[in-house]
Amino acid sequence: MSTVTMQGLPGGPAENFVKEYLAHLHKLVGNDKLVINTLTELAHVNKAHARTIVHLIERRIKEVEKERHLPHIYLIDSICKNHGEPYIELFERNIIPTFCHIFKYADEKIRASLYKLRSTWSTSNMFERKLTDLDRTINSNLDPAWPIRKSVPESVQQRGSGKILINPAKLKNVSIPKAVMNPGSNAEGRDALSPDKETERLKNEVLMKEKELLELKRKELELELATEKAKQKIREKTPTASTNSSSKSSGSSSKSSDSKSAPQHDNQK
């Protein structure tokens, strides 16, 4: 493994941080949410070393096997969406060669995931100055079916909002244009929900699910109470029935004895 350049950083503490970050970075062997979150928060609390963090991640992408590329681009996405600047600007500098390196070695499934990821950047105020150039580069050099979308004017962008956004790997309902798999179609100008509206929609869905769960638990509790009441009534009725049976039996015996004694009285007369 090549040596990390430590230009502009102090001695001991900075080197210790690099070792710690690299140790966590080497654990990123799959789409592990815990590892990605840890690396994201380490980047947040160590913004003084932002340039080094960006360098470590970009270099790591070139070192790992192609099967491990996707989690690293998800890490870049997580850091930028959750913590904004200076990471958006720093990653933007090499986002085209970084993205194209991953795309070049990706299979069809990974390319579909990369398209979903690229789609979220259009509405997340990320890399807006490079996105159209990224599309053109992929379309010209790697995949003629890749759509070239118009960039959003910078005047309407609001970078680094600090909002927690959704991991693109979880966006199961994002549609993939046929052009990505089949040349000839065009997905330019695709409309999408803004990050705020998407987050609000997901929150509403979670609230609805929680209400449904509470309603199910309420009905389950009512059923248990009704069952217990029915059992209690049965237990209360059982001793009464036994007592009535005994009383009837005793009464029958008495009547039988009376009927037998009556003829004997007549004979004596």
Side-chain angles (χ1 to χ4, degrees):
M1 185 170 66
S2 59
T3 305
V4 179
T5 303
M6 302 292 294
Q7 295 178 353
L9 293 176
E15 292 180 6
N16 291 336
F17 165 72
V18 169
K19 290 178 181 179
E20 179 187 3
Y21 203 82
L22 275 175
H24 286 288
L25 199 55
H26 278 75
K27 295 177 183 178
L28 190 57
V29 296
N31 191 20
D32 190 322
K33 182 179 179 181
L34 179 61
V35 176
I36 290 175
N37 287 346
T38 299
L39 288 163
T40 297
E41 294 313 305
L42 281 173
H44 175 53
V45 298
N46 291 279
K47 284 188 176 182
H49 302 326
R51 292 178 184 275
T52 299
I53 291 171
V54 171
H55 171 73
L56 291 174
I57 295 171
E58 290 177 343
R59 191 196 66 181
R60 183 65 178 161
I61 288 174
K62 296 178 181 178
E63 293 177 345
V64 299
E65 300 88 343
K66 62 182 182 180
E67 292 80 13
R68 298 183 184 180
H69 281 161
L70 193 61
H72 288 77
I73 196 74
Y74 282 163
L75 173 60
I76 292 175
D77 178 81
S78 176
I79 292 173
C80 291
K81 283 180 177 174
N82 289 316
H83 301 305
E85 300 296 0
Y87 290 105
I88 293 177
E89 181 181 355
L90 292 173
F91 278 116
E92 185 179 60
R93 296 174 183 178
N94 293 317
I95 193 62
I96 293 177
T98 299
F99 194 96
C100 289
H101 174 78
I102 296 174
F103 191 91
K104 179 180 178 180
Y105 297 102
D107 58 22
E108 184 177 287
K109 183 178 179 181
I110 299 301
R111 288 188 175 190
S113 297
L114 289 171
Y115 178 82
K116 290 181 181 180
L117 179 64
R118 159 64 183 88
S119 297
T120 67
W121 291 349
S122 295
T123 56
S124 299
N125 308 323
M126 287 169 53
F127 316 136
E128 64 267 16
R129 291 176 294 183
K130 295 288 186 76
L131 290 180
T132 300
D133 288 339
L134 172 62
D135 290 340
R136 289 196 182 107
T137 302
I138 297 175
N139 180 276
S140 300
N141 302 326
L142 297 171
D143 184 0
W146 186 270
I148 301 175
R149 282 159 288 188
K150 297 177 182 178
S151 60
V152 179
E154 192 167 350
S155 59
V156 301
Q157 298 295 335
Q158 296 178 355
R159 282 182 153 195
S161 63
K163 294 183 181 296
I164 302 298
L165 301 179
I166 306 300
N167 186 330
K170 306 300 182 184
L171 298 179
K172 303 298 184 183
N173 296 325
V174 175
S175 58
I176 306 299
K178 294 181 180 179
V180 175
M181 303 304 174
N182 303 302
S185 62
N186 186 359
E188 196 169 316
R190 179 183 300 274
D191 293 331
L193 287 176
S194 67
D196 288 344
K197 290 182 179 179
E198 178 67 15
T199 302
E200 187 65 26
R201 183 185 67 80
L202 291 173
K203 285 181 180 179
N204 290 336
E205 287 185 1
V206 171
L207 288 173
M208 288 180 63
K209 294 296 181 183
E210 289 178 349
K211 288 180 180 179
E212 290 176 3
L213 182 59
L214 288 173
E215 182 65 18
L216 287 173
K217 287 183 177 180
R218 185 184 66 79
K219 290 181 178 180
E220 183 180 357
L221 183 59
E222 288 179 352
L223 181 61
E224 289 179 358
L225 290 173
T227 303
E228 185 60 31
K229 286 181 179 179
K231 289 180 179 180
Q232 183 64 29
K233 287 182 179 180
I234 292 173
R235 285 195 295 267
E236 290 174 354
K237 288 180 178 180
T238 300
T240 304
S242 177
T243 303
N244 292 338
S245 176
S246 299
S247 300
K248 288 179 180 180
S249 176
S250 177
S252 298
S253 298
S254 243
K255 288 179 181 179
S256 176
S257 298
D258 291 342
S259 62
K260 287 181 179 179
S261 60
Q264 292 178 2
H265 180 72
D266 293 337
N267 290 336
Q268 287 177 357
K269 285 181 177 181

